[in-house]
Amino acid sequence: RDLIKRTGVRQWQVKTKREESVAFTPSDDDLLQRLLIRGEFTQPLAGNAVVFTGQLLRLSREDAEVLTQSCGGRVQSSVTRRTSLVVVGETDHRTRAAGRSESVKEMKARELREAGAPIRILSENDFWALVESGALGTVIESSSNRSAQ
């Protein structure tokens, strides 16, 4: 199998017995491709600044950034008062090594939200639901329901 890149999405080319290339895409990647196309039209993240923190399980950070931009959002590397959404993945090794259960970005988002900033903190699954639904208002804010690592 040869790994290739198309519009920021992983896709594999598989050779058949007749030496024809047939595209095979795993389910999450197939969903991601459909969401990229739909996001171009529905723009569910239009005008929103999105920050990703932690380890994402369903897609790579690069693919999440491409999806965010495709859906009209812009990606930030750090949390500021202008951040709209913070997408929290699983606790990564650096956070655990520091003895914390939340990343610095997540802690900063909570601090700014308590100070009045309209920042939503979403789990990775809530982010997928938001993009799939095509409307920001349909996703209820959730605190990250991660089990203690």
Side-chain angles (χ1 to χ4, degrees), residues 3-146:
L3 183 64
I4 61 170
K5 284 281 194 182
R6 277 200 198 139
T7 65
V9 180
R10 292 179 309 275
Q11 188 176 52
W12 287 265
Q13 291 288 331
V14 180
K15 298 281 185 179
T16 63
K17 288 183 180 179
R18 290 186 248 151
E19 294 299 312
E20 298 171 352
S21 273
V22 177
F24 168 76
T25 307
S27 60
D28 277 350
D29 284 346
D30 185 44
L31 176 61
L32 181 57
Q33 287 180 344
R34 285 186 279 129
L35 291 176
L36 284 168
I37 293 167
R38 187 184 322 163
E40 293 285 333
F41 297 103
T42 61
Q43 298 285 298
L45 300 176
N48 288 287
V50 181
V51 174
F52 294 95
T53 186
Q55 180 181 357
L56 301 177
L57 300 178
R58 291 187 70 181
L59 70 167
S60 70
R61 182 72 55 102
E62 180 183 279
D63 287 346
E65 291 174 358
V66 169
L67 179 59
T68 298
Q69 292 167 348
S70 172
C71 292
R74 63 182 196 282
V75 178
Q76 293 180 309
S77 60
S78 60
V79 178
T80 68
R81 292 190 75 67
R82 293 183 178 170
T83 303
S84 308
L85 301 170
V86 175
V87 180
V88 180
E90 293 295 314
T91 305
D92 66 8
H93 68 282
R94 291 174 298 183
T95 302
R96 282 193 300 271
R100 297 187 312 265
S101 62
E102 293 182 338
S103 70
V104 173
K105 291 177 185 178
E106 188 176 359
M107 291 179 351
K108 176 78 172 182
R110 290 188 193 287
E111 177 185 309
L112 288 172
R113 191 169 66 179
E114 288 173 9
I119 298 174
R120 291 185 180 202
I121 300 173
L122 303 174
S123 69
E124 183 181 1
N125 288 334
D126 289 340
F127 175 74
W128 274 89
L130 182 151
V131 174
E132 284 179 292
S133 72
L136 185 59
T138 61
V139 176
I140 299 172
E141 179 178 330
S142 72
S143 359
S144 186
N145 293 330
R146 295 178 285 150

